[in-house]
Amino acid sequence: MVRAAVLPAVGAPLEVADIDLPDPGPGQVRVRLAAAGVCHSDLSLSNGTMRVPVPAVLGHEGAGTVVAVGEGVTKVAPGAEVVLNWAPSCGSCHACSLGEVWLCANALNGAADVYARTADGTDLHPGLNVAAFAEETVVSESCLLPLPDGIPLTDAALLGCAVLTGYGAVHHSARVREGETVAVYGVGGVGLAALQAARIAGASRIVAVDVSPEKEELARAAGATDYVIASDATAREIRGLTGKQGVDVAVECVGSASTIRTAWDSTRRGGRTTVVGIGGKDQQVTFNALEIFHWGRTLAGCVYGNSNPAEDLPVLAAHVRAGRLDLGALVTERIALDGIPAAFDNMLAGKGGRALVVF
């Protein structure tokens, strides 16, 4: 039995309880979690914005130590330190054949499996494959990435989603070039990673946008040169900071129709807007046909930072070891399992960066 934060039904509050976690079967690995990040995607799963089989143990951003392996496991052994990969690529679907592993059609197949049971025998599903909101979890071998040397295990949890997503949005999706100007909308965990990534890319001006004045210090520490409080005048303010042109790149990390539209409006003619935030089906973004032609802008969705985790993790680790990427700076709160509901409330209220569950 291990302690876990269980989502009993969509829209219901999380319940911290003992669950019956079986030994790993063929191709499976049992991992003792060191830490798990609380991501906005977890909130979206809990409230039904994204669908997940329930009851479930959520949490998809984590790192820990292998404690047992099942038959046929070859990638890891007990004692290995690993980062959880919630979206493993199958290598055989159409997207994978094109090298677009972040769009793998089979990446989330494991989320429908039964991986554990409650104390009364109720089946539990593993959220986004890995069920990181628990002291220990059992996952497919494919859901693990070896932790590169020199990275603190607790901080490494952030590499599993926030950093891969924010860094990838800047480097893979928007392809920010040295000297370009960048605006990042939303200064949460992913937004803070995107700000650091823009700095690493050599952006000449980095504008952070958020509803909260309290996040300015966080944003500037991550690399923001300017801070704008979100309002109806945001796009106009950003054009004023960039010679009336607008930024070369806008990275939207909120997932609301109004913010996506504002990010688009704040880019220059020919600029690029990358949407990372996950919005609901009711969030409609509208454009007229003439402006699409006239402005010549690019609007692109971005899944998991358009990253290949196996290739990108060593690159991120090199940035961490060199001092260019500060994982700890993304974390504004370290909590226990029972602190997750309050972390959800803080996200809804626009407070803080990343909350990290530390075991």
Side-chain angles (χ1 to χ4, degrees), residues 20-266:
D20 184 7
L21 190 66
D23 293 332
Q28 293 183 323
V29 178
R30 185 167 179 142
V31 178
R32 180 179 299 117
L33 273 296
V38 182
C39 179
H40 203 281
S41 296
D42 298 309
L43 175 61
S44 296
L45 290 166
S46 72
N47 65 24
T49 300
M50 297 167 63
R51 301 187 68 174
V52 61
V54 290
V57 174
L58 304 182
H60 61 281
E61 180 183 271
T65 303
V66 173
V67 294
V69 300
E71 181 182 352
V73 170
T74 59
K75 281 177 55 177
V76 295
E81 295 183 339
V82 293
V83 176
L84 301 182
N85 175 15
W86 61 271
S89 56
C90 70
S92 58
C93 70
H94 182 64
C96 287
S97 73
L98 297 174
E100 298 173 351
V101 298
W102 55 91
L103 298 178
C104 175
N106 301 308
L108 294 179
N109 285 357
D113 293 343
V114 173
Y115 95 111
R117 289 177 173 81
T118 63
D120 65 6
T122 302
D123 291 344
L124 285 172
H125 302 281
L128 292 179
N129 282 328
V130 296
F133 288 166
E135 294 169 333
E136 296 186 9
T137 187
V138 172
V139 301
S140 166
E141 178 183 25
S142 64
C143 289
L144 299 178
L145 298 165
L147 177 64
D149 293 338
I151 310 300
L153 184 58
T154 300
D155 290 347
L158 301 164
L159 295 171
C161 184
V163 179
L164 275 170
T165 300
Y167 180 90
V170 168
H171 286 265
H172 300 319
S173 179
R175 299 180 183 273
V176 173
R177 299 181 289 267
E178 186 174 0
E180 288 191 312
T181 53
V182 177
V184 175
Y185 286 77
V187 184
V190 173
L192 287 168
L195 289 169
Q196 291 201 43
R199 174 175 46 75
I200 290 170
S204 60
R205 189 159 210 156
I206 305 170
V207 184
V209 182
D210 199 275
V211 296
S212 172
E214 288 74 25
K215 291 186 180 182
E216 181 171 359
E217 185 177 348
L218 276 175
R220 290 189 181 276
T225 58
D226 301 272
Y227 193 80
V228 172
I229 305 300
S231 72
D232 293 341
T234 295
R236 184 165 62 251
E237 286 187 55
I238 290 176
R239 286 195 295 272
L241 291 170
T242 53
K244 299 183 179 180
Q245 296 301 308
V247 290
D248 296 298
V249 170
V251 180
E252 199 274 356
C253 304
V254 178
S256 76
S258 61
T259 310
I260 293 169
R261 178 70 222 203
T262 302
W264 162 276
D265 288 338
S266 69

